[in-house]
Amino acid sequence: MEQLTTDVWVQRIDTGGFPTIAALALTPARAFVIDTLMCPQDMAPVLELLAARAGARRTVVVNTHHHWDHVYGNAAFPGVDIVAQSACPRLILQHSTTTDESVPLQPREGVPLPTITFGDRLTYSDEPETVHLIHTPGHSEDSLVVFLAGARLLFAGDTLEWPLPNFAQRDGKDVWIHTLRQLKQLPVDLIVPSHGPPMGRQIIDANERYINGVFEAVAAAKESGAGRNDLDLPPAAFLGDDVVLDEVYEDAHRGNLVWAWDEV
Ligand SMILES: [Zn+2]
């Protein structure tokens, strides 16, 4: 695993073209495992590091939201608390019976549901560190971020994404923008999105600009008669000049345009 700070490591894998991370953050009394990737086997390096470094710490697994690339490895942690926002268990169950072909089948071991849930915020005081799990809807109804106040570090799940966010919560645009404004209030120096490199606070503004820009442009195009599948709105208009997209994110952008067209 890649060491990010003295107490934080990330495990990066490829999930269908998207680089995706799970993370381990040690506080004095706890070992937080953030997300479990695509299958229990993906978590082997995390389990190894836990065995080597966690000592007597209590393991807490956090699911940042119900999407398959964040929870399908839950079975790697039998008997361990799995914490999520209160909508997450229901959404995992819904996902398990979906006919959406973009959702892979669950792993053979199944996907154990979160055992501890919360509404708006759950705080672990673990002097000198305090860890806040904060509900941040927008990408999905159950999205949360993990804020390490002492380290000024934020695990963003898919609430923030680089080079661009993925629209996945129906009619979630306004609530997402509200979430992003809340995130700007947090005293954070380093942001670790589930997809994309660790970066500074500029990712919040960049995602806000993209979301607002896409919805405005799609509304204008629809107004002037553009159909759902003939939106000609290249991504460069909504991103910084230095941002280059690979094919996976070109596709994600096209998917976002269609998603927005259905809502404006
Ligand atoms: Zn997601």
Side-chain angles (χ1 to χ4, degrees), residues 65 67 69-70 139 158:
H65 60 302
H67 288 158
D69 48 336
H70 302 260
H139 166 74
D158 290 357

Side-chain angles (χ1 to χ4, degrees), residues 19-21 23 34-35 62-65 67 69-70 134 136 139-140 142-147 154-162 165-166 176 183 191-196 203 207 249:
T20 304
I21 64 147
I34 297 149
D35 284 342
V62 179
N63 287 154
T64 62
H65 60 302
H67 288 158
D69 48 336
H70 302 260
I134 305 169
T136 52
H139 166 74
S140 67
D142 62 332
S143 284
L144 65 82
V145 296
V146 181
F147 172 43
L154 186 77
F155 294 103
D158 290 357
T159 296
L160 299 167
E161 183 165 346
W162 189 264
N166 260 290
W176 204 348
L183 290 184
I191 295 180
V192 185
S194 291
H195 311 288
I203 188 176
N207 280 189
Y249 276 96

Side-chain angles (χ1 to χ4, degrees), residues 27-80:
T27 60
R30 295 182 179 86
F32 290 90
V33 174
I34 297 149
D35 284 342
T36 63
L37 302 173
M38 287 179 70
C39 63
Q41 292 71 28
D42 286 341
M43 299 308 284
V46 177
L47 290 169
E48 262 172 51
L49 196 58
L50 275 172
R53 299 289 192 114
R57 291 177 179 84
R58 184 186 176 93
T59 301
V60 178
V61 174
V62 179
N63 287 154
T64 62
H65 60 302
H66 67 286
H67 288 158
W68 56 274
D69 48 336
H70 302 260
V71 304
Y72 270 16
N74 279 0
F77 299 92
V80 172

Side-chain angles (χ1 to χ4, degrees), residues 167 173 208-228 230-239 253 256-264:
F167 301 169
K173 184 240 179 193
E208 183 180 5
R209 198 175 335 118
Y210 177 86
I211 295 166
N212 278 328
V214 164
F215 272 85
E216 275 168 31
V218 169
K222 190 172 177 179
E223 181 83 25
S224 53
R228 186 171 190 270
D230 47 64
L231 292 160
D232 183 22
L233 299 166
F238 314 106
L239 302 168
H253 174 69
N256 284 340
L257 295 178
V258 172
W259 186 278
W261 193 93
D262 288 338
E263 293 186 0
V264 296

